[in-house]
Amino acid sequence: RQQQEFLTYESKDMRVTSKFKFGVLLCRPGQNCEEDMFSNVEGSQDYNNFLNLLGRTIELQGFNKFLGGLDSKGNTTGTHSVFREYRNYEIMFHVSTLLPQTASNSQQLCKKRHIGNDIVLLVFQEDGSAPFSPSTVKSNFLQVIIV
């Protein structure tokens, strides 16, 4: 009975959605601040295997499914991302290493703009990384951090 009540309530809640955007952040040994982590432009084979586990790498140009705020016309948010369809859900991953790198901007605001506004953040820690602290990434929106 409680389960049915919950499902009824949830179906009436207009915020229920089938499209999500999750952030993915790479943490390497010696990195303990968000600026360092947002500066990563590529990861290890283990990291790439992790991305493949999350979804398929898609080309953003012309992509016609849920973009999660990424640009499918002008490559302003990179050329590729990771996307997953599961049942009736679509998940676009804002992958820090696939978002554009700005050499003149140590804070990597383009990456921060997307990942910092996500509700969920997945942190991949390479071997030898220090324990990740949730306070490392400053955001008013992140509610779930999975390390």
Side-chain angles (χ1 to χ4, degrees):
R1 174 174 149 86
Q2 285 178 332
Q3 182 179 9
Q4 185 58 44
E5 287 177 7
F6 179 73
L7 290 172
T8 301
Y9 172 76
E10 189 177 66
S11 69
K12 292 179 183 177
D13 187 344
M14 298 306 290
R15 295 174 297 167
V16 173
T17 183
S18 61
K19 299 174 193 255
F20 302 93
K21 45 189 187 156
F22 293 176
V24 179
L25 188 61
L26 171 62
C27 178
R28 290 189 156 144
Q31 295 183 332
N32 55 11
C33 67
E34 69 178 9
E35 289 82 7
D36 291 342
M37 294 175 206
F38 282 132
S39 293
N40 292 323
V41 293
E42 63 183 5
S44 65
Q45 186 59 50
D46 287 340
Y47 173 74
N48 292 328
N49 290 342
F50 174 70
L51 293 179
N52 289 333
L53 179 72
L54 294 178
R56 63 185 168 95
T57 300
I58 54 101
E59 186 173 347
L60 289 170
Q61 187 80 31
F63 189 71
N64 62 1
K65 297 200 179 220
F66 178 63
L67 286 160
L70 298 178
D71 178 15
S72 67
K73 295 183 176 111
N75 293 334
T76 61
T77 56
T79 59
H80 293 82
S81 194
V82 175
F83 179 78
R84 164 73 75 182
E85 285 182 281
Y86 177 73
R87 297 187 180 178
N88 293 327
Y89 299 100
E90 295 180 27
I91 304 169
M92 179 59 75
F93 292 92
H94 293 149
V95 182
S96 62
T97 54
L98 296 177
L99 290 165
Q101 183 78 6
T102 308
S104 61
N105 185 337
S106 65
Q107 293 183 335
Q108 299 304 321
L109 292 178
C110 177
K111 294 181 181 192
K112 173 96 174 159
R113 178 173 56 108
H114 288 286
I115 294 172
N117 287 309
D118 291 335
I119 303 298
V120 176
L121 176 64
L122 306 173
V123 179
F124 183 89
Q125 289 193 286
E126 290 191 344
D127 286 339
S129 299
F132 182 84
S133 170
S135 64
T136 300
V137 178
K138 289 132 189 93
S139 169
N140 292 324
F141 297 98
L142 286 174
Q143 296 179 22
V144 177
I145 298 175
I146 301 169
V147 181

